[in-house]
Amino acid sequence: VSDSTRFVIAFGCNPINTAGTGIQSYLDPLLVRWSDQENYGVWTPAVTNQAGDYRLSQGSQIVTAIQTRQEIVVITDSSVYSLQYQGPPVVWGSQLLGDNISIAGQNCAVVASGVVYWMGNDKFYMYDGRTQPLSCDLRRYVFEDINTQQYSQVCAGTNEGFNEIWWFYCSSSSTTIDRYAVYNYLEDIWYYGSLGRTAWLDSGLNDYPVAATYSDNLVYHEYGVDDNTTDTPQAIESYITSSEFDIG
């Protein structure tokens, strides 16, 4: 749902007037359709409404869409588009922002401080007005030990209190999420660890970030000094390693 303009938008849907028509009814994985403004029950375009559709040209399917302040960023399996409200008669216009990109899955893209970040098949990306790969010190560590058959499980979340983007993924020997990589966009540094989380909600509506575990629990992060995942507090497993450096 577009916040300010109040449209319901569908990504990868059936063309107009084909639903329920048997052989002609199909889903077009690159088709974008929107309802009439403030009227989610009207989807057939007419001169009296603003319903409409647009088919993207790059890629084979729409993977995800994410809303920012000024636009809706749509990511296919090979390109990035911007959807912006233009008013009648066009209503919604699209612009190609970048191509020759990849994306791991529909839950691996997030917005932080107005910038879109996502995980690709072999690198990380960002869009801040232009699409570009992120410089990542952990690129080999992540992508040389990731289960490529489980890309669809990758999920991302923000921890804006600490200026962080988190990506949870399956290592090459696992079919469940057991690793994470974190990008601190303020300090432009990366860190990593082992953790199983299947969903993440930042602290915007809560006092602390909330995540879901494989033990069917919701847990607070950045709260306390113990690992209290299973309601049995224990010390957090942690360590730090460093290369050589001079002491000032």
Side-chain angles (χ1 to χ4, degrees), residues 45 106 114 161:
Q106 65 178 7

Side-chain angles (χ1 to χ4, degrees), residues 51-66:
D53 68 339
Y54 186 88
R55 190 179 192 277
L56 306 181
S57 59
Q58 300 279 342
S60 60
Q61 65 175 331
I62 296 171
V63 178
T64 194
I66 191 165

Side-chain angles (χ1 to χ4, degrees), residues 205-217:
L205 298 176
N206 303 281
D207 293 330
Y208 306 97
V210 179
T213 75
Y214 281 105
S215 56
D216 301 323
N217 291 328

